[in-house]
Amino acid sequence: MTNRTFAIIKPDAVKNNNTGLIFDHILKAGFNVLSARLIKMTLAQAEGFYGVHAERPFFGELTEFMSSGQCMVLALEKDNAVPAWRETIGATNPEEAAEGTIRRLFATSIGENAVHGSDSDENAQKEIAFFFPDTELIANN
Ligand code: ADP
Ligand code: MG
């Protein structure tokens, strides 16, 4: 499973009409999109997805933001997908994100930072399964 990761185009990016540009960035960076879906998370879904952050001071802000509007969830495939996608999106805080990364280009703040990326193979597998049944993951080669 080391060739898969999970991504979200977050509500700020969808609202700002950056979905297409970010999708294009994903393809140009060499990822295969195994599945993608536009959803609006419930607060309970956002709380479940970000459960590891439940004790963090920004948990309420984060889960309200993530359930505030449409977002796009994606299962991505590439060699070493988890680190490759983290490199493509850049640091959590857009001010610290490298030039040319998605967060540098599209994020507006540390909270509203345009995209999500899994932080480990184990979490990638869990996060993909949170939103996609195996039957919806379609190899594109
Ligand atoms: P990442 O998304 O880069 O893996 P974290 O897992 O640490 O970052 O945090 C999850 C999400 O919580 C971040 O992407 C961001 O939306 C939000 N977040 C993180 N730190 C803060 C903060 N200090 N203030 C507000 N929101 C934050
Ligand atoms: Mg994280």
Side-chain angles (χ1 to χ4, degrees), residues 50 52-53 56 86 92 103 116-119 123 127:
Y50 280 112
V52 305
H53 295 309
R56 309 279 284 274
R86 295 294 305 200
T92 309
R103 282 169 166 169
H116 167 82
S118 307
D119 62 6
N123 285 336
E127 291 174 2

Side-chain angles (χ1 to χ4, degrees), residues 85-98:
W85 177 238
R86 295 294 305 200
E87 200 176 316
T88 303
I89 69 178
T92 309
N93 183 346
E95 287 175 13
E96 291 163 15

Side-chain angles (χ1 to χ4, degrees), residues 27 31-34 77 137-141:
L27 298 177
F31 292 89
N32 284 325
V33 178
L34 299 174
E77 181 185 66
L137 303 174
I138 304 158
N140 138 31
N141 43 26

Side-chain angles (χ1 to χ4, degrees), residues 51-65:
V52 305
H53 295 309
E55 304 306 319
R56 309 279 284 274
F58 55 80
F59 184 66
E61 182 189 329
L62 172 62
T63 53
E64 272 172 40
F65 163 60

Side-chain angles (χ1 to χ4, degrees), residues 89-110:
I89 69 178
T92 309
N93 183 346
E95 287 175 13
E96 291 163 15
E99 286 296 336
T101 59
I102 291 175
R103 282 169 166 169
R104 181 61 172 253
L105 290 166
F106 300 109
T108 45
S109 68
I110 190 169

